[in-house]
Amino acid sequence: MARVCLERVARKFESTTAVEEISFEIPDGEFWVLVGPSGCGKSTILRMIAGLDAPTTGNLYIGDRLVNQVPARQRDVAMVFQNYALYPHMTVAENLGFGLQMRQADAATIQAQVQSVAKSLDIAHLLQRKPKQLSGGQQQRVALGRAIARSPQVFLLDEPLSNLDAQLRDETRAELKQLHQRIGITTIYVTHDQMEAMTLADKIVVLSRGQIQQIGSPQQIYNQPVNRMVACFLGHPPMNLLQAVYDAGSFYIQGQRLPCPARLIPLLNSAQGHSFDLGIRPEYLQVISSSEPDQTTATLETIAQLVEPLGRENMLRVVLPNSDQILNLTTKTEIYPQIGDRLTLGFDLNALLVFDASTGAIVR
Ligand code: ATP
């Protein structure tokens, strides 16, 4: 096991800058997840750590060793891709032991290691099968097992679950988490799936256009996003955004007034007439009866546009009157408005996030 450290690492491909100068240090044994929209540079970062690609500038360390010039096979990292290429002519056992065999481990060591890894991934009963006799999920577990069997210092995973169907994906994700808790290898995991990021990570790195937007625990990223991009990337259904204009201690949204949270008023002294995006997570919104406005600090008048029953709850889409500004929220199943019904939504003003409309930076 080893720490992984990037010091001002950048990667350019002719005119494209895939990764701007980025720096972070992953402590030994932690599970970090790189997330961000397509093309933000996640895979390039992983490939540079693996040694499959070289930084244009900057230093990359695994443990205390500077590895910029160290070839991939000498870095002691194992990588699992979305397309787990197992060797089709080999059995599962041979696939699992292949890395050790390449390193000239003796037969007894290989056998012991293969048995142990197969047991931990629940594939011991499949050892004599060939890959084509396995389901997609089983093949993916063998690919993970093949990487683990080598006992690498660092484990690199690039969208390893994206070929699996939803249920298998959930199961394998849980297994991966337990596996990491047991073996504790430093792991870097690339995904664009925010659910995987939230559930697996010790720390999440949110990337956009080759730049780090924020590094933090899942809770920090979710509750204290530094900007609109981070706030909207994590969370399902995503954070609601309303366009508003600030004036004298209040926000105005299509003629409706929302008081500005008191903590922000001193910060907005010079922002009279400026545009802001107001962020509110769906779980903070409630349908209230308009006769009880005191129970919440802020209210918005809306019109029901769509109701989707999900069994345990309903997903509700509403629109602000005379506008195209939409809000999504979840409600108890007994709240089932007719399309076009007027609904008052209430929420705690402390849950409101305020972003500068032009830069996306959070005001706090
Ligand atoms: P995805 O989620 O779609 O896999 P990503 O976040 O992993 O995307 P990268 O594959 O790291 O993104 O690519 C980052 C940027 O670098 C993209 O604009 C991509 O087109 C560019 N890029 C990556 N590899 C090369 C290459 N070999 N030559 C030229 N441009 C490249």
PDB file of all heavy atoms in Angstrom, residues 133-160:
ATOM      1  N   GLN A 133     -18.131 -18.668 -20.028  1.00  0.00           N
ATOM      2  CA  GLN A 133     -19.149 -19.409 -19.266  1.00  0.00           C
ATOM      3  C   GLN A 133     -19.618 -18.623 -18.038  1.00  0.00           C
ATOM      4  O   GLN A 133     -20.273 -19.161 -17.171  1.00  0.00           O
ATOM      5  CB  GLN A 133     -18.577 -20.761 -18.813  1.00  0.00           C
ATOM      6  CG  GLN A 133     -18.183 -21.658 -19.970  1.00  0.00           C
ATOM      7  CD  GLN A 133     -17.373 -22.858 -19.520  1.00  0.00           C
ATOM      8  OE1 GLN A 133     -16.327 -22.711 -18.905  1.00  0.00           O
ATOM      9  NE2 GLN A 133     -17.887 -24.039 -19.808  1.00  0.00           N
ATOM     10  N   LEU A 134     -19.237 -17.341 -17.973  1.00  0.00           N
ATOM     11  CA  LEU A 134     -19.592 -16.518 -16.810  1.00  0.00           C
ATOM     12  C   LEU A 134     -20.559 -15.403 -17.201  1.00  0.00           C
ATOM     13  O   LEU A 134     -20.564 -14.952 -18.345  1.00  0.00           O
ATOM     14  CB  LEU A 134     -18.341 -15.848 -16.224  1.00  0.00           C
ATOM     15  CG  LEU A 134     -17.178 -16.749 -15.823  1.00  0.00           C
ATOM     16  CD1 LEU A 134     -16.005 -15.882 -15.365  1.00  0.00           C
ATOM     17  CD2 LEU A 134     -17.601 -17.709 -14.720  1.00  0.00           C
ATOM     18  N   SER A 135     -21.352 -14.941 -16.225  1.00  0.00           N
ATOM     19  CA  SER A 135     -22.202 -13.765 -16.467  1.00  0.00           C
ATOM     20  C   SER A 135     -21.320 -12.507 -16.445  1.00  0.00           C
ATOM     21  O   SER A 135     -20.157 -12.564 -16.003  1.00  0.00           O
ATOM     22  CB  SER A 135     -23.251 -13.652 -15.362  1.00  0.00           C
ATOM     23  OG  SER A 135     -22.616 -13.258 -14.165  1.00  0.00           O
ATOM     24  N   GLY A 136     -21.895 -11.389 -16.871  1.00  0.00           N
ATOM     25  CA  GLY A 136     -21.142 -10.126 -16.886  1.00  0.00           C
ATOM     26  C   GLY A 136     -20.612  -9.760 -15.508  1.00  0.00           C
ATOM     27  O   GLY A 136     -19.468  -9.348 -15.349  1.00  0.00           O
ATOM     28  N   GLY A 137     -21.460  -9.938 -14.496  1.00  0.00           N
ATOM     29  CA  GLY A 137     -21.050  -9.591 -13.131  1.00  0.00           C
ATOM     30  C   GLY A 137     -19.933 -10.493 -12.639  1.00  0.00           C
ATOM     31  O   GLY A 137     -19.002 -10.043 -11.965  1.00  0.00           O
ATOM     32  N   GLN A 138     -20.044 -11.791 -12.989  1.00  0.00           N
ATOM     33  CA  GLN A 138     -18.985 -12.720 -12.565  1.00  0.00           C
ATOM     34  C   GLN A 138     -17.673 -12.375 -13.267  1.00  0.00           C
ATOM     35  O   GLN A 138     -16.604 -12.390 -12.649  1.00  0.00           O
ATOM     36  CB  GLN A 138     -19.408 -14.162 -12.893  1.00  0.00           C
ATOM     37  CG  GLN A 138     -20.537 -14.654 -12.002  1.00  0.00           C
ATOM     38  CD  GLN A 138     -21.175 -15.933 -12.518  1.00  0.00           C
ATOM     39  OE1 GLN A 138     -21.118 -16.242 -13.718  1.00  0.00           O
ATOM     40  NE2 GLN A 138     -21.799 -16.673 -11.616  1.00  0.00           N
ATOM     41  N   GLN A 139     -17.759 -12.039 -14.542  1.00  0.00           N
ATOM     42  CA  GLN A 139     -16.535 -11.661 -15.274  1.00  0.00           C
ATOM     43  C   GLN A 139     -15.890 -10.433 -14.638  1.00  0.00           C
ATOM     44  O   GLN A 139     -14.677 -10.347 -14.504  1.00  0.00           O
ATOM     45  CB  GLN A 139     -16.869 -11.349 -16.736  1.00  0.00           C
ATOM     46  CG  GLN A 139     -17.231 -12.580 -17.524  1.00  0.00           C
ATOM     47  CD  GLN A 139     -17.370 -12.276 -19.013  1.00  0.00           C
ATOM     48  OE1 GLN A 139     -16.658 -11.447 -19.555  1.00  0.00           O
ATOM     49  NE2 GLN A 139     -18.288 -12.943 -19.661  1.00  0.00           N
ATOM     50  N   GLN A 140     -16.746  -9.484 -14.234  1.00  0.00           N
ATOM     51  CA  GLN A 140     -16.197  -8.272 -13.637  1.00  0.00           C
ATOM     52  C   GLN A 140     -15.519  -8.592 -12.308  1.00  0.00           C
ATOM     53  O   GLN A 140     -14.478  -8.027 -11.982  1.00  0.00           O
ATOM     54  CB  GLN A 140     -17.303  -7.223 -13.466  1.00  0.00           C
ATOM     55  CG  GLN A 140     -16.831  -5.870 -13.013  1.00  0.00           C
ATOM     56  CD  GLN A 140     -15.839  -5.245 -13.971  1.00  0.00           C
ATOM     57  OE1 GLN A 140     -14.771  -5.804 -14.222  1.00  0.00           O
ATOM     58  NE2 GLN A 140     -16.148  -4.082 -14.489  1.00  0.00           N
ATOM     59  N   ARG A 141     -16.086  -9.539 -11.562  1.00  0.00           N
ATOM     60  CA  ARG A 141     -15.465  -9.911 -10.287  1.00  0.00           C
ATOM     61  C   ARG A 141     -14.123 -10.595 -10.533  1.00  0.00           C
ATOM     62  O   ARG A 141     -13.175 -10.403  -9.781  1.00  0.00           O
ATOM     63  CB  ARG A 141     -16.407 -10.802  -9.484  1.00  0.00           C
ATOM     64  CG  ARG A 141     -17.588 -10.033  -8.939  1.00  0.00           C
ATOM     65  CD  ARG A 141     -17.988 -10.495  -7.574  1.00  0.00           C
ATOM     66  NE  ARG A 141     -18.603 -11.814  -7.599  1.00  0.00           N
ATOM     67  CZ  ARG A 141     -19.880 -12.027  -7.906  1.00  0.00           C
ATOM     68  NH1 ARG A 141     -20.658 -11.017  -8.190  1.00  0.00           N
ATOM     69  NH2 ARG A 141     -20.377 -13.240  -7.910  1.00  0.00           N
ATOM     70  N   VAL A 142     -14.049 -11.394 -11.611  1.00  0.00           N
ATOM     71  CA  VAL A 142     -12.768 -12.032 -11.929  1.00  0.00           C
ATOM     72  C   VAL A 142     -11.729 -10.956 -12.291  1.00  0.00           C
ATOM     73  O   VAL A 142     -10.577 -11.025 -11.870  1.00  0.00           O
ATOM     74  CB  VAL A 142     -12.915 -13.051 -13.086  1.00  0.00           C
ATOM     75  CG1 VAL A 142     -11.559 -13.629 -13.471  1.00  0.00           C
ATOM     76  CG2 VAL A 142     -13.880 -14.162 -12.699  1.00  0.00           C
ATOM     77  N   ALA A 143     -12.174  -9.945 -13.048  1.00  0.00           N
ATOM     78  CA  ALA A 143     -11.241  -8.865 -13.422  1.00  0.00           C
ATOM     79  C   ALA A 143     -10.738  -8.145 -12.167  1.00  0.00           C
ATOM     80  O   ALA A 143      -9.547  -7.843 -12.049  1.00  0.00           O
ATOM     81  CB  ALA A 143     -11.935  -7.882 -14.366  1.00  0.00           C
ATOM     82  N   LEU A 144     -11.637  -7.898 -11.225  1.00  0.00           N
ATOM     83  CA  LEU A 144     -11.214  -7.272  -9.970  1.00  0.00           C
ATOM     84  C   LEU A 144     -10.255  -8.201  -9.223  1.00  0.00           C
ATOM     85  O   LEU A 144      -9.222  -7.773  -8.708  1.00  0.00           O
ATOM     86  CB  LEU A 144     -12.433  -6.981  -9.071  1.00  0.00           C
ATOM     87  CG  LEU A 144     -13.364  -5.862  -9.508  1.00  0.00           C
ATOM     88  CD1 LEU A 144     -14.642  -5.866  -8.673  1.00  0.00           C
ATOM     89  CD2 LEU A 144     -12.672  -4.514  -9.367  1.00  0.00           C
ATOM     90  N   GLY A 145     -10.616  -9.488  -9.216  1.00  0.00           N
ATOM     91  CA  GLY A 145      -9.799 -10.474  -8.502  1.00  0.00           C
ATOM     92  C   GLY A 145      -8.408 -10.573  -9.096  1.00  0.00           C
ATOM     93  O   GLY A 145      -7.415 -10.680  -8.376  1.00  0.00           O
ATOM     94  N   ARG A 146      -8.336 -10.507 -10.418  1.00  0.00           N
ATOM     95  CA  ARG A 146      -7.030 -10.600 -11.077  1.00  0.00           C
ATOM     96  C   ARG A 146      -6.137  -9.441 -10.647  1.00  0.00           C
ATOM     97  O   ARG A 146      -4.936  -9.591 -10.451  1.00  0.00           O
ATOM     98  CB  ARG A 146      -7.239 -10.583 -12.595  1.00  0.00           C
ATOM     99  CG  ARG A 146      -5.994 -10.912 -13.375  1.00  0.00           C
ATOM    100  CD  ARG A 146      -6.297 -11.032 -14.841  1.00  0.00           C
ATOM    101  NE  ARG A 146      -6.908  -9.810 -15.374  1.00  0.00           N
ATOM    102  CZ  ARG A 146      -7.251  -9.645 -16.640  1.00  0.00           C
ATOM    103  NH1 ARG A 146      -7.079 -10.624 -17.503  1.00  0.00           N
ATOM    104  NH2 ARG A 146      -7.780  -8.525 -17.055  1.00  0.00           N
ATOM    105  N   ALA A 147      -6.759  -8.266 -10.500  1.00  0.00           N
ATOM    106  CA  ALA A 147      -5.979  -7.102 -10.063  1.00  0.00           C
ATOM    107  C   ALA A 147      -5.584  -7.228  -8.587  1.00  0.00           C
ATOM    108  O   ALA A 147      -4.448  -6.945  -8.208  1.00  0.00           O
ATOM    109  CB  ALA A 147      -6.802  -5.833 -10.286  1.00  0.00           C
ATOM    110  N   ILE A 148      -6.523  -7.717  -7.770  1.00  0.00           N
ATOM    111  CA  ILE A 148      -6.236  -7.830  -6.326  1.00  0.00           C
ATOM    112  C   ILE A 148      -5.181  -8.896  -6.046  1.00  0.00           C
ATOM    113  O   ILE A 148      -4.348  -8.736  -5.156  1.00  0.00           O
ATOM    114  CB  ILE A 148      -7.532  -8.194  -5.549  1.00  0.00           C
ATOM    115  CG1 ILE A 148      -8.552  -7.072  -5.664  1.00  0.00           C
ATOM    116  CG2 ILE A 148      -7.246  -8.474  -4.084  1.00  0.00           C
ATOM    117  CD1 ILE A 148      -9.948  -7.518  -5.294  1.00  0.00           C
ATOM    118  N   ALA A 149      -5.229  -9.989  -6.833  1.00  0.00           N
ATOM    119  CA  ALA A 149      -4.331 -11.116  -6.563  1.00  0.00           C
ATOM    120  C   ALA A 149      -2.868 -10.698  -6.609  1.00  0.00           C
ATOM    121  O   ALA A 149      -2.018 -11.301  -5.959  1.00  0.00           O
ATOM    122  CB  ALA A 149      -4.591 -12.226  -7.583  1.00  0.00           C
ATOM    123  N   ARG A 150      -2.583  -9.664  -7.332  1.00  0.00           N
ATOM    124  CA  ARG A 150      -1.182  -9.205  -7.428  1.00  0.00           C
ATOM    125  C   ARG A 150      -0.756  -8.428  -6.193  1.00  0.00           C
ATOM    126  O   ARG A 150       0.387  -8.002  -6.096  1.00  0.00           O
ATOM    127  CB  ARG A 150      -1.033  -8.301  -8.659  1.00  0.00           C
ATOM    128  CG  ARG A 150      -1.136  -9.064  -9.952  1.00  0.00           C
ATOM    129  CD  ARG A 150      -1.168  -8.096 -11.113  1.00  0.00           C
ATOM    130  NE  ARG A 150      -0.203  -7.014 -10.931  1.00  0.00           N
ATOM    131  CZ  ARG A 150      -0.250  -5.855 -11.568  1.00  0.00           C
ATOM    132  NH1 ARG A 150      -1.221  -5.628 -12.410  1.00  0.00           N
ATOM    133  NH2 ARG A 150       0.660  -4.941 -11.350  1.00  0.00           N
ATOM    134  N   SER A 151      -1.681  -8.168  -5.257  1.00  0.00           N
ATOM    135  CA  SER A 151      -1.413  -7.333  -4.076  1.00  0.00           C
ATOM    136  C   SER A 151      -0.685  -6.052  -4.461  1.00  0.00           C
ATOM    137  O   SER A 151       0.436  -5.806  -4.012  1.00  0.00           O
ATOM    138  CB  SER A 151      -0.559  -8.077  -3.050  1.00  0.00           C
ATOM    139  OG  SER A 151      -1.165  -9.262  -2.699  1.00  0.00           O
ATOM    140  N   PRO A 152      -1.311  -5.238  -5.299  1.00  0.00           N
ATOM    141  CA  PRO A 152      -0.619  -4.026  -5.735  1.00  0.00           C
ATOM    142  C   PRO A 152      -0.570  -2.990  -4.624  1.00  0.00           C
ATOM    143  O   PRO A 152      -1.292  -3.102  -3.629  1.00  0.00           O
ATOM    144  CB  PRO A 152      -1.505  -3.529  -6.876  1.00  0.00           C
ATOM    145  CG  PRO A 152      -2.876  -3.983  -6.492  1.00  0.00           C
ATOM    146  CD  PRO A 152      -2.696  -5.290  -5.798  1.00  0.00           C
ATOM    147  N   GLN A 153       0.290  -2.004  -4.812  1.00  0.00           N
ATOM    148  CA  GLN A 153       0.349  -0.882  -3.858  1.00  0.00           C
ATOM    149  C   GLN A 153      -0.867   0.010  -4.029  1.00  0.00           C
ATOM    150  O   GLN A 153      -1.332   0.622  -3.086  1.00  0.00           O
ATOM    151  CB  GLN A 153       1.574  -0.017  -4.165  1.00  0.00           C
ATOM    152  CG  GLN A 153       2.869  -0.737  -4.051  1.00  0.00           C
ATOM    153  CD  GLN A 153       3.599  -0.234  -2.832  1.00  0.00           C
ATOM    154  OE1 GLN A 153       2.997  -0.019  -1.799  1.00  0.00           O
ATOM    155  NE2 GLN A 153       4.888  -0.052  -2.970  1.00  0.00           N
ATOM    156  N   VAL A 154      -1.322   0.116  -5.297  1.00  0.00           N
ATOM    157  CA  VAL A 154      -2.425   1.027  -5.601  1.00  0.00           C
ATOM    158  C   VAL A 154      -3.364   0.334  -6.591  1.00  0.00           C
ATOM    159  O   VAL A 154      -2.917  -0.349  -7.517  1.00  0.00           O
ATOM    160  CB  VAL A 154      -1.900   2.337  -6.244  1.00  0.00           C
ATOM    161  CG1 VAL A 154      -3.050   3.266  -6.582  1.00  0.00           C
ATOM    162  CG2 VAL A 154      -0.908   3.026  -5.334  1.00  0.00           C
ATOM    163  N   PHE A 155      -4.628   0.549  -6.373  1.00  0.00           N
ATOM    164  CA  PHE A 155      -5.665  -0.063  -7.179  1.00  0.00           C
ATOM    165  C   PHE A 155      -6.337   1.069  -7.968  1.00  0.00           C
ATOM    166  O   PHE A 155      -6.824   2.040  -7.371  1.00  0.00           O
ATOM    167  CB  PHE A 155      -6.642  -0.658  -6.182  1.00  0.00           C
ATOM    168  CG  PHE A 155      -7.393  -1.842  -6.659  1.00  0.00           C
ATOM    169  CD1 PHE A 155      -7.043  -2.529  -7.793  1.00  0.00           C
ATOM    170  CD2 PHE A 155      -8.484  -2.293  -5.922  1.00  0.00           C
ATOM    171  CE1 PHE A 155      -7.755  -3.626  -8.203  1.00  0.00           C
ATOM    172  CE2 PHE A 155      -9.201  -3.386  -6.321  1.00  0.00           C
ATOM    173  CZ  PHE A 155      -8.839  -4.054  -7.466  1.00  0.00           C
ATOM    174  N   LEU A 156      -6.381   0.955  -9.301  1.00  0.00           N
ATOM    175  CA  LEU A 156      -6.982   2.007 -10.129  1.00  0.00           C
ATOM    176  C   LEU A 156      -8.176   1.417 -10.871  1.00  0.00           C
ATOM    177  O   LEU A 156      -8.043   0.409 -11.577  1.00  0.00           O
ATOM    178  CB  LEU A 156      -5.964   2.526 -11.144  1.00  0.00           C
ATOM    179  CG  LEU A 156      -4.653   3.064 -10.556  1.00  0.00           C
ATOM    180  CD1 LEU A 156      -3.668   3.403 -11.673  1.00  0.00           C
ATOM    181  CD2 LEU A 156      -4.901   4.286  -9.696  1.00  0.00           C
ATOM    182  N   LEU A 157      -9.329   2.035 -10.729  1.00  0.00           N
ATOM    183  CA  LEU A 157     -10.543   1.485 -11.322  1.00  0.00           C
ATOM    184  C   LEU A 157     -11.205   2.548 -12.191  1.00  0.00           C
ATOM    185  O   LEU A 157     -11.529   3.633 -11.698  1.00  0.00           O
ATOM    186  CB  LEU A 157     -11.514   1.059 -10.213  1.00  0.00           C
ATOM    187  CG  LEU A 157     -10.968   0.021  -9.230  1.00  0.00           C
ATOM    188  CD1 LEU A 157     -11.812  -0.023  -7.969  1.00  0.00           C
ATOM    189  CD2 LEU A 157     -10.954  -1.344  -9.871  1.00  0.00           C
ATOM    190  N   ASP A 158     -11.378   2.232 -13.473  1.00  0.00           N
ATOM    191  CA  ASP A 158     -11.974   3.204 -14.392  1.00  0.00           C
ATOM    192  C   ASP A 158     -13.361   2.728 -14.803  1.00  0.00           C
ATOM    193  O   ASP A 158     -13.486   1.812 -15.612  1.00  0.00           O
ATOM    194  CB  ASP A 158     -11.070   3.380 -15.619  1.00  0.00           C
ATOM    195  CG  ASP A 158     -11.454   4.617 -16.433  1.00  0.00           C
ATOM    196  OD1 ASP A 158     -12.525   5.209 -16.163  1.00  0.00           O
ATOM    197  OD2 ASP A 158     -10.687   4.993 -17.329  1.00  0.00           O
ATOM    198  N   GLU A 159     -14.394   3.307 -14.216  1.00  0.00           N
ATOM    199  CA  GLU A 159     -15.791   2.953 -14.512  1.00  0.00           C
ATOM    200  C   GLU A 159     -15.984   1.433 -14.505  1.00  0.00           C
ATOM    201  O   GLU A 159     -16.538   0.885 -15.470  1.00  0.00           O
ATOM    202  CB  GLU A 159     -16.204   3.501 -15.886  1.00  0.00           C
ATOM    203  CG  GLU A 159     -15.962   4.977 -16.035  1.00  0.00           C
ATOM    204  CD  GLU A 159     -17.231   5.784 -16.093  1.00  0.00           C
ATOM    205  OE1 GLU A 159     -18.314   5.223 -15.883  1.00  0.00           O
ATOM    206  OE2 GLU A 159     -17.125   6.999 -16.310  1.00  0.00           O
ATOM    207  N   PRO A 160     -15.550   0.743 -13.454  1.00  0.00           N
ATOM    208  CA  PRO A 160     -15.550  -0.727 -13.531  1.00  0.00           C
ATOM    209  C   PRO A 160     -16.945  -1.345 -13.528  1.00  0.00           C
ATOM    210  O   PRO A 160     -17.090  -2.500 -13.882  1.00  0.00           O
ATOM    211  CB  PRO A 160     -14.782  -1.147 -12.273  1.00  0.00           C
ATOM    212  CG  PRO A 160     -15.026  -0.048 -11.309  1.00  0.00           C
ATOM    213  CD  PRO A 160     -15.101   1.213 -12.137  1.00  0.00           C
TER     214      PRO A 160
END
